[in-house]
Each structure stands twice: as structure tokens, then as C-alpha cells.
Amino acid sequence: MAVRQSAGAGGVADEVPGPAVRRTADVDRSDPGYREWLKEAVRKVQADANRSADTHLLRFPLPEAWGIDLYLKDESTHPTGSLKHRLARSLFLYGLCNGWIRPGAPVIEASSGSTAVSEAYFAGLIGVPFIAVMPRTTSAQKTRLIEFHGGQCHLVDDPRTVYEVSARLARETGGHYMDQFTYAERATDWRGNNNIAESIYQQLRLERYPEPAWIVATAGTGGTSATIARYVHYMQYDTLVCVPDPENSCFFDGWVAGDPEVSCESGSRIEGIGRPRMEPSFVPGAIDRMMKVPDAATVASVRALERRMGIRAGGSTGTGLWSSFKIIAEMLAAGRTGSVVTLICDPGDRYLDKYYSDAWLAEQGMDITPYAKAVEGFLDTGAWPC
Ligand SMILES: *Cc1c(COP(=O)(O)O)cnc(C)c1O
């Protein structure tokens, strides 16, 4: 493929660019070979979507007499096992169509794991190298999955440095820093195109409460909650959107204070959610409510999911469940009926050495007993203990 010194945008420059235009060694975007490669890459990503079925909307069993239905959108059934399959597909299409992803140049991502697993898969699909920059605490199973899909892992000690390390690696390798934390909200088609929100509403059509009172979605990039909340407003629904936040995350404080500059020191223990800074992709104004959820409540809830439905899910699913349970208890207390939707974000088999390990709980000094009692008490009686 022809490589040349080109204008910043990489196309055919009709004029000599002014000094403000950065010159980079790049592919020639008008080269027919590049255009053929681009078309093939886009086709391969689209074909993956075309081969895939929609994810299930499952019902969590609640007493019939409550008049409240709880649904779980099961995002663990995507080909790469998490809701990040949707995001990775959107980011690859966005990066390809913007001319940012080029033949032979690596794609680099700052990730706590799940996005990197899905992106490694799409990078393999279109034949570009992939490097994931992740905190050293990321579960070993995720590292193995990234390498299984042909990606490389670059582990860092301080989770706050993943952004700058990714940007540096992109500069050094001539690659593209995908930057999910900036681009998640805009790479996704929030008005429809079978995004997660449209899919939920389609699947609720024949239910007794087809317009949910609440949708509960946790935030990592914030992209999922942004897509859902924007879609609700765009479609003029009455649904409210709640984002529960784990410990060691600043989304809650930033949302309450209306301050985009807040940050916190240590990394979240709930993989995939909770961030040390207000990510650009998190859209606070679109969200109706936030809730701080103790990590022990998260683990107690995800274990209750296994007892009640025989499903093992990742930690963030527990955070969403705890918050949904609390909302349902409030609805019950207020004599309201309706439906609530939350997500199964990824499968529990990625975290057997964490949320399903009593040794890990002990190591973390985490006592889930009071929360486990609260959840079981709520599911039996409808009463919220606190
Ligand atoms: C990314 C992620 C989330 C949150 O989704 P965002 O759209 O990034 O906010 C929740 N759970 C898991 C397991 C994730 O990987």
C-alpha cells in the first residue's frame, strides 16, 4: 500500500496546507488499494452484526402479587460475551469510516478488560494488530481472552495512567488510540438502528407494562446509559433512567455536584464500571437519578441472581440488580405497579477468582452477610431493610 507524506486529513490536498496542518506519515486515502481494504473491513464488521441474533430479555422471578416486573437484558450472550461487543462494533465502524483505523497500523485501547476483549476480536476480524492497556488488577481470565483473540496486553500499575500510556503507544507505533471513554457516546447510534434501548422497547411490546417505569444501567464509559437516556427522551417516553455507581468511582459525586472535574484516587473493584474521573462519554444531564452502591451489596446481589435464576454474572450486573431491587421496594411502598429493566453485562465465569471467591472477599475485608440478608428479605417480603 502506498505510504506518503500527506495533508493532515490524509486525502488529496488541493492546496499546500498552512502551518497549522500537522503532517504525518500516513496511508494515501485516495489510493484504490486503501479504499478496497476499507470496504472489506467495514463489510466484515457489518457481517458480524448480520450473523448475530438479538440478546434475550429475561424475567427475574418476583411475586406475582407485587404487580411489578423486573427484566434483565442479557448482554452476556454476544459473541465476545459482554455488552462491549456492541461498543466495539460501533467504535470500529466509527474509526474505519473516519479514516482513523488503517491497514497494518495497531489499534490501542485503554480498558479495564471487557472492551479490550471485544476489540481484540474485531481487530482480528479486519486483520490489524491490537494492544490493550489495562490496570494490573484486571482479572486473569480477561487477559487470557484478549490474547486468545490475538491481542496483546500492556499492564500498568496505576489505573489513572491508562489514558496517557495508550496515547503514547499510539504515537510510538503510528497506531490509533480508540479512546472508548471519549467516543463511546458518539460512536453509538442513539436514535435507533437497533441500539440496546430500541431493542429493549421492542422486546417489551407484548408485556403487561411495555413502557418501563425505570431502566437501570451502570456506567463505565457512560455510553450505555447515554444511549438509553437519549433514546428515552427522543422517543418521548416517561421511563426514568437510574445509574448506580460502585465505591471508588467519581461519577456519583460529579453528577451530584455538577462538576466535570472531580476525580478519585483508587480504582473500582467492580470490573467494567466506576471510574477515577468524569469520563467525557458520561452524559450526566440525560440521567434522572444516581445511586451509590456498596461493593458488598453488589456481590450479595450477583450471588442472589445465581440462587434465584441459576445465572452467574459479572459484578456490575450485581450493582444494577441492587439498585433495581431498591427501586422496586420504593414502588411497592408507594403502591405503584410497572416494570423495571436492568442488564446482565457480562458472564460470571470471568470472575470466579473474585466475586464468587470467599477468599477474595476475605482479602478485600468485605462482609456481604448483611446485604445478602437484605436481598433475600426483600425478595421474600418486598420490604427494604434500610
Ligand atoms: C463497560 C461495562 C459496563 C458499563 O457500560 P458503559 O456503556 O461503558 O457505561 C458495565 N458492565 C461491564 C462488565 C462493562 O464492561
Side-chain angles (χ1 to χ4, degrees):
M1 196 139 307
V3 174
R4 60 160 202 179
Q5 286 294 114
S6 69
V12 180
D14 292 327
E15 291 170 32
V16 177
V21 178
R22 193 168 52 93
R23 288 171 174 274
T24 50
D26 210 342
V27 295
D28 176 354
R29 260 56 166 218
S30 63
D31 178 74
Y34 164 70
R35 290 298 291 263
E36 278 313 306
W37 178 87
L38 176 60
K39 280 194 258 181
E40 260 307 277
V42 170
R43 183 190 65 75
K44 284 172 179 162
V45 176
Q46 294 282 54
D48 176 80
N50 195 54
R51 286 193 302 274
S52 300
D54 207 345
T55 59
H56 300 301
L57 191 64
L58 308 174
R59 264 189 79 167
F60 187 98
L62 294 178
E64 187 67 27
W66 289 8
I68 298 172
D69 297 326
L70 173 60
Y71 298 91
L72 303 171
K73 179 70 169 157
D74 186 4
E75 294 291 291
S76 71
T77 63
H78 287 291
T80 56
S82 83
L83 80 174
K84 291 301 188 327
H85 197 80
R86 289 181 195 271
L87 174 61
R89 180 192 293 142
S90 298
L91 287 170
F92 266 84
L93 285 175
Y94 196 64
L96 284 165
C97 295
N98 284 341
W100 292 345
I101 299 173
R102 293 147 305 150
V107 166
I108 293 134
E109 184 65 291
S111 174
S112 64
S114 290
T115 304
V117 174
S118 301
E119 287 177 344
Y121 167 87
F122 283 103
L125 210 61
I126 67 168
V128 295
F130 179 76
I131 306 167
V133 179
M134 304 188 297
R136 202 171 292 285
T137 51
T138 305
S139 79
Q141 180 62 13
K142 277 198 200 153
T143 314
R144 279 195 291 275
L145 280 168
I146 291 160
E147 285 164 356
F148 172 80
H149 288 301
Q152 274 171 262
C153 299
H154 185 104
L155 302 177
V156 299
D157 290 315
D158 182 348
R160 290 169 299 180
T161 62
V162 289
Y163 317 98
E164 67 197 57
V165 173
S166 300
R168 178 172 55 75
L169 279 176
R171 276 196 307 276
E172 286 170 5
T173 60
H176 171 56
Y177 170 26
M178 197 73 115
D179 196 359
Q180 58 168 336
F181 293 108
T182 299
Y183 294 105
E185 54 87 9
R186 70 193 80 160
T188 304
D189 297 336
W190 54 272
R191 295 179 192 84
N193 197 11
N194 200 36
N195 67 32
I196 188 167
E198 187 175 57
S199 170
I200 288 168
Y201 280 90
Q202 288 295 320
Q203 290 176 318
L204 283 171
R205 258 183 339 192
L206 301 184
E207 300 305 301
R208 60 175 173 170
Y209 306 114
E211 189 178 328
W214 287 91
I215 299 181
V216 176
T218 49
T221 64
T224 303
S225 54
T227 300
I228 292 172
R230 286 166 168 172
Y231 184 81
V232 165
H233 301 314
Y234 180 65
M235 297 299 288
Q236 303 146 56
Y237 291 131
D238 292 320
T239 306
L240 298 170
V241 175
C242 174
V243 175
D245 203 32
E247 294 170 26
N248 303 308
S249 171
C250 70
F251 284 140
F252 180 86
D253 294 336
W255 182 80
V256 170
D259 180 2
E261 299 302 324
V262 297
S263 63
C264 66
E265 290 290 302
S266 44
S268 166
R269 290 185 292 193
I270 310 304
E271 283 192 37
I273 62 169
R275 301 294 311 164
R277 63 171 204 189
M278 288 289 272
E279 300 296 350
S281 202
F282 178 70
V283 183
I287 292 156
D288 299 290
R289 178 177 182 180
M290 287 197 72
M291 216 186 264
K292 202 77 188 167
V293 176
D295 291 348
T298 284
V299 176
S301 302
V302 85
R303 289 186 176 194
L305 176 68
E306 184 177 19
R307 274 194 304 280
R308 299 278 170 154
M309 289 185 75
I311 292 172
R312 272 187 172 167
S316 65
T317 301
T319 314
L321 264 178
W322 174 268
S323 181
S324 302
F325 292 156
K326 183 158 191 229
I327 284 172
I328 291 169
E330 289 169 2
M331 288 171 70
L332 271 173
R336 286 194 58 197
T337 57
S339 58
V340 176
V341 179
T342 188
L343 317 179
I344 295 179
C345 302
D346 67 349
D349 57 15
R350 294 181 177 180
Y351 310 100
L352 298 182
D353 55 353
K354 279 195 166 178
Y355 316 121
Y356 292 94
S357 157
D358 291 335
W360 183 81
L361 290 182
E363 209 176 281
Q364 298 292 318
M366 211 189 275
D367 180 14
I368 66 166
T369 321
Y371 298 101
K373 279 202 186 109
V375 168
E376 291 302 326
F378 160 72
L379 290 173
D380 292 336
T381 67
W384 198 252
C386 33

